[in-house]
Each structure stands twice: as C-alpha cells, then as structure tokens.
C-alpha cells in the first residue's frame, strides 16, 4: 500500500508542476499571437509558485530514491519510468524558475510588461519546444500512474479494498488535475491489458472514484491566489448560505422526558406492535426511514432525542466504518421565517452545517462560485438548483465521507414560500438512494402526499408506540405530588386506575397528556379526592382541539378579557416569525397606555423590577390561558455575531429579560386561526378600543426608555430593536387607520435620549458613514446592515452623513398617517431635507422591507403626488439610478 501511495504521490506532484507550467506557457503563446493575455499576470508570484512546486517534486523524488536504497528493493520498471519523468519535469521547472528570477529581480526590468518579459526569456521557437517537452511528460505520466497502480494492486490481492480507496482519495484530494486529464487517465486504463488477470474491474471502479475527486478539485491557477483570498472566499460562500434563524427551531423543541423514547433503539420484534427496526436502518444499508404520527404525538421531540443521543452515532459508525461521519439535522417550522419552511432553507442549512466545519470542501461544492469569490466578484445567494447541485457534488465527490441527514416536520414545508412543490421535497429526500454514503431520516404527519411518497420506506407510527412513555411521564408528574402520595397510600387500586385511564385516553398524543396532567395537578393542589380527579379527567375530551376549547372555557369569567388579549398578543407574534416577544415586552403591552409611555423617564429599569413584572405576567399566562401558552428562556440567534448566541433582541442582562412566551404547539395556533373559534374564544372578549399593534408599539417605546446600555452589544441590539419599532408603528397605523404623532415623537425623544450612551460605547468606524451628529435612524440602518448580513455598507449615495431625520424614518417605514398629519400641520417644508431626498427613503428597498415583507408603494405614490421628483439628482445620480445601484449591494439583502 505504501508503494501505491508513493507512486501516486510522485505522479501527482509531476502533474501539478507540468499542468501549471503548461498553463503559463499557454499565456506566453497568447502574448506572441495577440499581444496580451486574458487575465492579469503577477510574474513574481508565478516565479515563486514554480519554485515551490519544483522543490516539492524534488523532495518527493529524493524520498522515493532513498526509500528504495534503504529497503534494498528490486528495481521496478514502472517506478523507474515514473522517476525519470519526475526528473525531466523538475529539470524544466528549475530552468523556467531561473529565467523568471533573472528577469523579475533585474532592477531595469522590474516594471516590464508581461510581453516584454516573455520576449526577453524566449523566442517563439523556444516556447514551442518547451511546450512539446511538457506535453510529452504529461501524456506519459497519465499512462504511467495508472499502469503502475494496476500492477501494484494485482500483486496485493489481500489488501483491504476500503483502505485502498481511502488512500487513493486522500491523494486525489491533494492534487490539482483537470477533468480532461482525469478522463484521459481512465480511458488509457480501460485500453490497457483488458484480458489480464487480477483485480482490473476493481481498479476501474477505483479509478472512477479517483476521477470524481480530481474533477471536484479542478480549480485553475490556485497558486496565483494568496491564502487571504481563499479565506475571504470561504467566508463569502458561508455567509451566502447562513441565515439568522438557521438553528432556532431545534432550540425551541423540548427535550425528551427522562427514560422516554428508549424503545427506538430496541428490537421491535420484542414488542406487541412491531415497527421497522431503526437500529437496522442505522447500522445497515437502508438509505431512508420515515417517522410519522398524529399531531402533537412527539415526533419532533423524538427526532431531537435521536439527533442528540450518543447511541445514534455509535450505531451509525458501524455503517460508516473507517469513513468520517457527518451528522446534520434540520427542523421545518411553518410559522418561522421563509428559510425555516422552504426547500432552499433546508439545503442551505445542510450545506452550511457541512462546510462551516470542513471548509476545504467549499471548492468542491461551489467550484465556480468559489473561483468568483476568490477573484473578488459580487455573488448573490445561491438559487435552489445551484444549492441542490452543490450538495450532490459534495456527496458524489466525497465517497469517503458518510452523511446522516435528519429532517423533521416535512408537513410544515410551505410551497408558497418555497416556490417548489411538496413532491419536490419528497423527491429530494429520495435522491440519495443510490448514494452509498448517505442516510436520510424524515418525519411528518401522515398526510396523503407523504403516505404515497414514503410507501415501502422503512417507518414507524409514533403514536402507536408511546404508551409506556406516557405511563412513565404521567407517573413521574403526578406521583411526586404530596397529595397524590396520600391518595395512593389510602386507595392504591383507584389511583393506579386513574393513571391507566390517562394512558388509555391519550391515543398516543403527548401534548394531550401534558395538558391533562396539568389539570390534575391543579385538582391535587385543590385537595380533590380520587373520585373528583376521575371526574375531572372524564370531562376532558380526548380530541386535542376539543381539549383546547374545554380548557379555555374554564377561564374564570373575570379574566376572560385579559385571556383574550394575551392570546391575541401571542397569536400576532406567532404569525410574525421575524419578531420575538420578551415577557417584559408582553407586560408593557398588556399594562401600558399613552400616559405611561409619556410619563416614563429615560432610565434603565432595575433587575428586581423586571423580575417582579415577569413573574406577574407568567402567573397571569398560566391562570388566564390554561396552559396553552408556555414561557421559556430563549437564546435567540440574531446575527449580531454569526457564531455567537445572544439573548433576544431586547438587551438586558438577566434571564428574566430573555424569557419569551409562545404557544405550546403549532396546533394551538391552527385552532385559534379558525374564524369561528377566534370569534368565540378571543374576539368577543376584546374591547372595541383594544389594538394589538398599538399596544406593542407602546411597549416597544417603553423597552427603549428603560433599557440597560452597559455594553456595546446592548447598544447594537437596541438600535436593531428600534428598527422593529418602526414596523410596529406602521402596523398600528394600518390597523387603526390613524396617526400616532405623539407616540412617534416620544420614540424620537427616547432614541435621542439614549444616543449619547450609544455613541460612547458603540464600536463603529465612523469614517465616511456616520458622525456624532447623525440621526439615530442612520445608526439603526448601519447596525442592521453591517451586523445582520456580515457585510460592509456600500452606500452608492454615501455622502459621509445621510442627513436623516424623523420624517425620513417615517417615510422609510411607510407611516403615511403621520406624514399626512405633519404635512397638514406644518406645510410642504416638512418634505424638504438635505442629503438624500425623502423619495429615496421610500424607493430604496432597505433590509427592513425585505425582512418584514411590506411594500412602500403607497408612500411612493403619495410623495410623487406631492411633487417629489424621481429624477432629482443626489451626488450627481438620479434617485432611480440610486435604487438600481443599491439593489445589488449586500446592504439590501
């Protein structure tokens, strides 16, 4: 095996030097014929690259000679031919290097053109001669490497095939060959000695695998780019794949209760309800497995348990063997961002997870894109077809890597956002069937399209298999209660019957069990006896939505209005995945009126006050919403730093500030979304003056007024949050059809009040972008663009100070009622400003309109009606041209 590796390594080094030198010679020929080359040439870099490559070849040649002498090996004709070719290639390399060094170090020729340099080195005949010498070596080396490998493999029938493949691929990944050379190598192999004995067919297969590795790395002229260019290109590719909510959904899925789901790693033949063995899937050759079940039966929790469990990796290693194993998960989320519920989001997440930790694979997945990034060209995010091809190339060119993809919640895929069909998603999961190095685990509800799509696939129905898990959960939740212990001691039979009734009535739906146990715990706290507990259980319907209806009907009449408001707040935020609602934010929304907003001073709130308010709203959620809303400490991955987790968009220090509220399950949102349910459960109890968006607008102003700004990151987040406030103001206007001039001015005063602190703590390079007199909205735009998308701001219209204003902020966010009220009160002069005209703020598609999916068409129309001119010049450019220019910048992504 060492002989094979040595032969390939030496041949690869020869090819690397020869192909690079041929590339340089082709430029020389082009100069003689056309007077120039197709690209810029750095002669000193070429000289250094040829010197390094030649030295590497000479070292490998020396090592090969020393090894043979040391081990007293018999001369091998194949090896000798290979070494002779290596010597010839090294000779040419040194000759070329010496000529280049001579002309590039001569002071008189330091600034010579490439054409002048070539002319001083050779004439046309010299170029023709050296090209023939190189071509001869190239042709011979291609045949020599494969014949030599074949002979050595034939002599070693006892070698382990996987080890051979591994060695070949390792070496292939170190070489830089083109597809054309690779194809020629395979063709020559197929034409040589087809009737010979030994392992020829196996060698052909290995050769094809080698070709895949070679084709993947056919990156032209890598020596001409410096290491920094490669690093920047890697970051550009990774940034084009990453998105803010890339890991959010997994973080919100509850961990499995202790000792539940362990059956997934057991033999199904030992149970009364057998399923397709999951262990055999992980260990064996099956490529896919489907987990299905009723809504709220625990599919996502089981998927997370599998993905996080050490047993999964141990079993997968029995399949992957000596090959490296890459294990990646993705969780669809219907109420998440567009990338959390689309096929493109899925594939970008998979690619990012693979490439972020294995950056050397980036040129394999995105060959053309990586080349463009190295050359400094602007790149858009990859399209769905490009992303799919990148993943296929990554897998096919790396047979020595094994991939385990776990994809949860296929039924939460949204075709409207994805711009592809459900069948396309199913086909994607099936597209790896022929790949021996890929396994795919998927989960979904048993909808017809998935029943058809995964017919015949190894599978299990989770709701048929969780009885013991439910029993375990119920026992541990109820039997720890002091009252239950007393009842069990007095009447053990009826106590056990009660627990069994819960298991029998659950029908495998874990969420139903969770809500029922909460109700029974309430009864135990009220000192219910066994009979009363049984009655409480019997009154709870087994259908999940009927259970929701029953739970809400039990809200005390005096709390019905507050219950409706709290449900309304969570429903509103749930439908807007780009926003999060901290518990303090919710407390302000529920309690604040205009007077509180105006009277609250700009002063950070004490942690103890925050804790009191958070505890208050938590208790109200429990008693007013009957368990349908839960609170969690949420680590939200806003892209203030792509690789670091930060707590929410609200920048305070304690866990209480980072706590958020959400529905316990998607099915609650779906239940409340039915018009009849909403009208009966929520709408009828909301006062006429109540506005969910106005309440949230007030809350946002209070968050800003009371925030703690002790760190630069706090400042970043509050500036980012201020952008969300603009959206809340717009939604409040749209819902109520009126202006909130006083609140908008209060927002402006609050931001002006905290800006001195922000300017002192914020670490921003102000040169050419901002200064200390810039309006706070300019700072918001800068932070949003520079932090979210990890890109510098390339203002096509940058004049060092955007000359923004509150009116510009209002135009940017489409606060039409405010704009009209100011125009009516103060006259046409409110539309005049220095710097970028107001129409520019309405026309340019800033990040917030992309993120929050709203159009500013009405504002543009209003400003045009008021006489704003789209052809007005700004720094010598019309507003229309500015829009076209900025539409391609990273700032607008």
């Amino acid at each position: 095996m060492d002989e094979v590796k040595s032969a390939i390594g030496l041949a690869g080094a020869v090819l690397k030097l020869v192909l690079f030198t041929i590339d340089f010679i082709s430029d020389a020929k082009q100069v003689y014929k056309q007077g120039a080359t197709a690209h810029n040439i750095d002669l000193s870099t070429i000289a250094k690259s040829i010197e390094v490559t030649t030295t590497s070849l000479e070292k490998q040649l020396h090592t090969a000679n020393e090894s043979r002498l040391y081990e007293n090996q018999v001369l091998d004709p194949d090896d000798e031919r290979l070494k002779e070719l290596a010597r010839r290639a090294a000779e040419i390399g040194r000759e070329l290097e010496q000529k280049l060094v001579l002309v590039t170090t001569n002071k008189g020729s330091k600034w010579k053109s490439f054409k002048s340099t070539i002319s001083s080195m050779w004439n046309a005949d010299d170029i023709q001669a050296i090209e023939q010498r190189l071509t001869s070596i190239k042709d011979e080396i291609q045949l020599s490497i494969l014949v030599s490998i074949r002979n050595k493999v034939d002599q070693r029938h006892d070698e382990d095939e996987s080890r051979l493949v591994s060695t070949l691929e390792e070496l292939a990944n170190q070489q830089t060959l083109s597809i054309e050379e690779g194809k020629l190598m395979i063709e020559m192999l197929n034409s040589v000695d087809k009737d010979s004995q030994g392992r020829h067919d196996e060698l052909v297969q290995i050769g094809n695998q080698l070709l895949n590795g070679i084709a993947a790395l056919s990156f032209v002229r890598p020596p001409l780019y410096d290491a920094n260019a490669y690093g920047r290109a890697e970051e550009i590719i990774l940034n084009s794949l990453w998105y803010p909510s890339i890991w959010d959904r997994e973080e919100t899925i509850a961990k499995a209760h202790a000792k539940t789901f362990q059956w997934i790693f057991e033999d199904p033949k030992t149970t009364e309800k057998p399923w397709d063995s999951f262990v055999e899937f992980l260990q064996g050759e099956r490529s896919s497995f489907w987990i299905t079940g009723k809504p709220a039966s625990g599919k996502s929790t089981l998927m997370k348990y599998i993905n996080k469990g050490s047993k999964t990796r141990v079993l997968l290693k029995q399949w992957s063997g000596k090959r490296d194993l890459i294990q990646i998960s993705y969780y669809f989320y219907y109420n998440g961002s567009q990338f959390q519920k689309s096929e493109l989001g899925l594939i970008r997440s998979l690619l990012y997870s693979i490439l972020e930790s294995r950056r050397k694979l980036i040129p394999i997945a995105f060959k053309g894109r990586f080349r463009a990034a190295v050359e400094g060209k602007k790149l858009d995010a990859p399209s769905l077809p490009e992303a799919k091809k990148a993943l296929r190339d990554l897998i096919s060119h790396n047979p020595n890597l094994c991939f385990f993809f776990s994809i949860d919640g296929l039924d939460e895929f949204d075709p409207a956002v994805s711009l592809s069909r459900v069948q396309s998603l199913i086909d994607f999961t099936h597209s790896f069937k022929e790949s021996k190095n890929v396994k795919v685990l998927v989960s979904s509800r048993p909808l017809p399209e998935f029943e058809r799509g995964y017919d015949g696939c190894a599978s299990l129905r989770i709701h048929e298999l969780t009885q013991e898990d439910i029993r375990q959960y119920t026992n541990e939740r109820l039997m720890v209660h002091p009252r239950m212990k007393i009842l069990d001691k007095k009447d053990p039979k009826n106590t056990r019957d009660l627990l069994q009734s819960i298991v029998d009535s659950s029908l495998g739906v874990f969420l139903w069990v969770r809500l029922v146990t909460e109700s029974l715990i309430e009864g135990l706290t009220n000192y219910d006896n066994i009979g009363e507990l049984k009655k409480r259980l019997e009154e709870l319907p087994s259908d999940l939505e009927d259970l929701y209806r029953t739970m809400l009907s039990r809200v005390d009449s005096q709390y019905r209005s507050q219950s409706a408001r709290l449900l309304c707040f969570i429903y509103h935020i749930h439908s807007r995945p780009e926003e999060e609602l901290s518990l303090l934010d919710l407390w302000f929304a529920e309690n604040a009126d205009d007077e509180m907003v105006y009277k609250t001073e700009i002063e950070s709130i004490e942690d103890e006050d925050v804790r009191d308010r958070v505890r208050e709203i938590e208790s109200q959620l429990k008693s007013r919403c009957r368990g349908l809303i839960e609170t969690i400490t949420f680590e939200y991955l806003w892209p203030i730093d792509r690789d670091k987790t930060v707590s929410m968009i609200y920048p305070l220090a304690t866990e209480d500030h980072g706590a958020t509220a959400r529905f316990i399950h998607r099915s609650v949102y779906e239940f409340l979304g039915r018009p009849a349910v909403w009208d009966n459960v929520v709408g009828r109890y909301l006062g006429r003056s109540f506005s969910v968006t106005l309440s949230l607008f007030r809350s946002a102003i209070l968050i800003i007024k009371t925030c703690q700004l002790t760190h630069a990151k706090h400042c970043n987040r509050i500036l980012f949050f201020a952008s969300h406030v603009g959206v809340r103001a717009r939604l409040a206007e749209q819902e109520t059809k009126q202006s909130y001039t006083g609140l908008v001015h209060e927002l402006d005063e609050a931001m002006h009040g905290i800006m001195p602190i922000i300017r002192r703590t914020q670490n921003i390079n102000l040169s050419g972008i901002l200064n200390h007199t810039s309006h706070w909205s300019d700072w918001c735009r800068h932070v949003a663009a520079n932090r979210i998308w990890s890109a510098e701001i390339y203002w096509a219209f940058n004049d060092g100070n955007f000359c923004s204003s509150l009116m510009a902020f209002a135009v940017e966010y489409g606060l039409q009622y405010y704009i009209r009220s100011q125009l009516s009160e103060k006259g046409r002069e409110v539309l005049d400003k220095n710097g970028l005209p107001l129409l520019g703020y309405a026309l340019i598609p800033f990040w917030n309109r992309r993120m929050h999916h709203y159009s500013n068409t009405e504002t543009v129309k209003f400003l045009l009606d008021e006489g704003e001119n789209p052809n007005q010049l700004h720094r010598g450019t019309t507003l229309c041209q500015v829009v076209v220019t900025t539409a391609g910048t990273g700032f607008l992504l």
Side-chain angles (χ1 to χ4, degrees), residues 176-383:
T176 310
L177 311 178
S178 69
I179 294 178
E180 289 71 23
E181 271 81 30
K183 287 181 178 177
L184 183 57
M185 291 166 71
I186 299 302
E187 290 170 2
M188 289 181 175
L189 172 64
N190 290 333
S191 66
V192 174
D193 201 9
K194 288 188 176 180
D195 298 325
S196 66
Q197 297 179 352
R199 299 163 68 183
H200 177 75
D201 291 340
E202 175 190 325
L203 190 57
V204 171
Q205 181 182 3
I206 293 170
N208 278 291
Q209 291 173 335
L210 181 61
L211 171 60
N212 285 336
I214 291 169
L217 293 177
S218 59
F219 189 66
V220 179
R221 294 179 171 273
L224 296 184
Y225 300 109
D226 60 50
N228 290 333
Y230 280 127
R232 288 192 299 269
E234 289 170 355
E235 283 298 317
I236 289 170
I237 299 298
L238 290 173
N239 285 340
S240 72
L241 297 173
W242 184 84
Y243 50 90
S245 53
I246 196 166
W247 293 298
D248 286 358
R249 174 57 176 156
E250 183 177 21
E251 294 298 318
T252 65
I253 297 171
K255 292 182 180 179
H257 191 72
K259 299 181 181 179
T260 58
F261 295 134
Q262 294 179 356
W263 50 265
I264 192 70
F265 297 115
E266 296 174 358
D267 185 354
K269 296 176 183 177
T270 62
T271 67
E272 295 180 0
K273 296 179 179 179
W275 67 95
D276 292 319
S277 173
F278 189 68
V279 171
E280 289 182 6
F281 159 67
L282 295 177
Q283 292 177 322
E285 298 304 315
R286 280 179 174 171
S287 62
S288 57
F289 197 100
W290 177 41
I291 293 175
T292 186
K294 296 177 181 179
S297 56
K299 296 183 295 295
S300 294
T301 305
L302 174 58
M303 292 288 278
K304 185 172 182 177
Y305 174 79
I306 291 169
N307 295 329
K308 298 295 184 181
S310 58
K311 285 187 178 180
T312 303
R313 191 163 189 87
V314 170
L315 293 168
L316 283 171
K317 285 301 292 181
Q318 294 182 35
W319 160 63
S320 63
K322 296 180 180 178
R323 298 174 292 180
D324 286 344
L325 175 64
I326 298 176
Q327 187 176 341
I328 300 169
S329 58
Y330 176 87
Y331 298 80
F332 277 103
Y333 185 38
Y334 185 78
N335 292 110
S337 69
Q338 63 177 359
F339 292 119
Q340 291 178 282
K341 53 186 175 182
S342 66
E343 191 174 359
L344 179 57
L346 161 66
I347 299 171
R348 279 175 58 169
S349 177
L350 297 179
L351 283 168
Y352 180 83
S353 297
I354 296 169
L355 299 177
E356 199 276 334
S357 60
R358 294 174 178 263
R359 299 191 174 200
K360 289 183 179 179
L361 299 179
I362 292 176
I364 298 177
F366 292 103
K367 190 189 307 180
R369 177 176 285 268
F370 185 73
R371 182 196 305 276
V374 169
E375 294 172 353
K377 296 179 180 177
K378 177 190 172 297
L379 296 175
D380 295 324
S383 64

Side-chain angles (χ1 to χ4, degrees), residues 523-563:
L524 290 168
T525 303
N526 294 336
Y527 277 78
D528 286 358
N529 58 35
I530 286 293
E532 290 167 329
L533 292 173
K534 280 189 174 182
K535 184 179 179 181
R536 181 184 284 263
L537 176 61
E538 290 167 358
E539 290 175 351
L540 296 174
S542 58
D543 179 80
L544 198 57
E545 291 198 354
D546 288 342
L547 178 61
Y548 295 157
R549 192 176 283 105
T550 300
M551 300 291 281
L552 291 174
S553 71
R554 292 183 173 180
V555 175
D556 194 300
S557 59
Q558 65 176 323
Y559 299 144
R560 289 284 173 86
S561 293
Q562 188 181 20
S563 171

Side-chain angles (χ1 to χ4, degrees), residues 23 50-51 129 151 182 189 212 214 244 294 333 372 395 412 440 443 633 657 704 711 714 729 796 839:
D23 210 10
I50 291 178
E51 189 273 331
N151 289 339
L189 172 64
N212 285 336
I214 291 169
K294 296 177 181 179
Y333 185 38
I395 290 168
E412 301 201 36
V440 181
S443 75
T633 300
H657 300 82
I704 291 171
H711 191 278
H714 293 171
L839 185 60

Side-chain angles (χ1 to χ4, degrees), residues 768-787:
I769 297 176
L770 300 169
N771 61 42
H772 288 288
T773 63
S774 298
H775 191 261
W776 56 265
S777 60
D778 278 337
W779 287 72
C780 293
R781 292 183 202 96
H782 174 81
V783 168
N786 202 36
R787 302 294 180 184

Side-chain angles (χ1 to χ4, degrees), residues 126-186:
D126 293 331
I127 293 174
Q128 183 72 22
I130 197 169
E131 182 180 38
Q132 289 176 354
R133 291 167 64 192
L134 289 166
T135 302
S136 173
I137 296 174
K138 184 190 71 171
D139 291 343
E140 290 183 56
I141 202 74
Q142 290 171 156
L143 178 61
S144 178
I145 183 174
L146 289 171
V147 171
S148 177
I149 294 170
R150 189 210 62 178
N151 289 339
K152 288 176 171 55
V153 171
D154 283 347
Q155 295 165 11
R156 294 177 175 268
H157 297 286
D158 59 339
E159 288 286 359
D160 179 75
E161 180 180 353
S162 65
R163 186 182 172 204
L164 178 60
V165 172
S166 175
T167 301
L168 289 172
E169 295 206 347
E170 177 188 344
L171 289 162
N173 287 341
Q174 297 171 2
Q175 310 308 325
T176 310
L177 311 178
S178 69
I179 294 178
E180 289 71 23
E181 271 81 30
K183 287 181 178 177
L184 183 57
M185 291 166 71
I186 299 302

